[in-house]
Amino acid sequence: MLKRTSFVKRVNVKTINTSSLLQIGDSSEIDSLSETLAVMREVPLFFGYEGHFRFPVFSRDITYPPLYEPLIKLTTNINGKISVDEVNVIGTGASAVIHIGNSKNVFLENRRKHIRDLRKS
């Protein structure tokens, strides 16, 4: 893990959403998952059995695009610290991370199914 220290004078976060994280300090691993089923109807009529996650979006494998170029990164930490006066966050989305510190591994996943049920004209 990186050998760097973070100095933040003030953190102001208004809203942390579903499956989101505010992490202050170092972490070895962050693993965040959010699955959302959103049903919107023009006429607000709900039957009670609609909250099942049986849609393919919740079970299929995630495919990552192939890397065609080698990833080369060179980082030089001259004094080994990051200094920030203030961090202001209005809100986070699902499965988001606000992290102050070092991370070794981060995995974030958000799967969402929107259903729109509109009247037929």
Side-chain angles (χ1 to χ4, degrees):
M1 190 160 5
L2 297 173
K3 303 286 188 213
R4 198 165 45 196
T5 304
S6 302
F7 297 94
V8 179
K9 289 183 182 177
R10 182 183 315 170
V11 178
N12 182 15
V13 180
K14 300 239 183 257
T15 304
I16 296 181
N17 203 343
T18 307
S19 188
S20 293
L21 173 70
L22 170 61
Q23 171 74 28
I24 299 174
D26 296 344
S27 61
S28 176
E29 186 170 306
I30 296 174
D31 191 354
S32 182
L33 168 66
S34 173
E35 293 180 336
T36 306
L37 178 62
V39 179
M40 184 179 85
R41 292 212 164 99
E42 192 170 359
V43 177
L45 176 64
F46 296 93
F47 304 106
Y49 54 83
E50 298 151 317
H52 300 288
F53 291 87
R54 294 183 184 145
F55 297 95
V57 69
F58 297 116
S59 60
R60 66 176 164 228
D61 290 336
I62 295 176
T63 57
Y64 299 98
L67 291 175
Y68 296 107
E69 301 174 7
L71 180 62
I72 300 170
K73 179 181 175 186
L74 176 63
T75 303
T76 303
N77 298 315
I78 296 172
N79 59 9
K81 71 176 186 175
I82 298 172
S83 296
V84 177
D85 285 335
E86 188 172 9
V87 176
N88 288 306
V89 178
I90 295 171
T92 63
S95 192
V97 173
I98 302 165
H99 189 221
I100 299 168
N102 297 303
S103 292
K104 185 174 181 184
N105 296 312
V106 178
F107 180 78
L108 309 173
E109 181 179 339
N110 179 19
R111 295 178 184 230
R112 181 173 297 165
K113 174 69 176 174
H114 287 273
I115 299 171
R116 307 287 190 248
D117 188 2
L118 305 175
R119 286 185 178 184
K120 295 179 180 164
S121 300

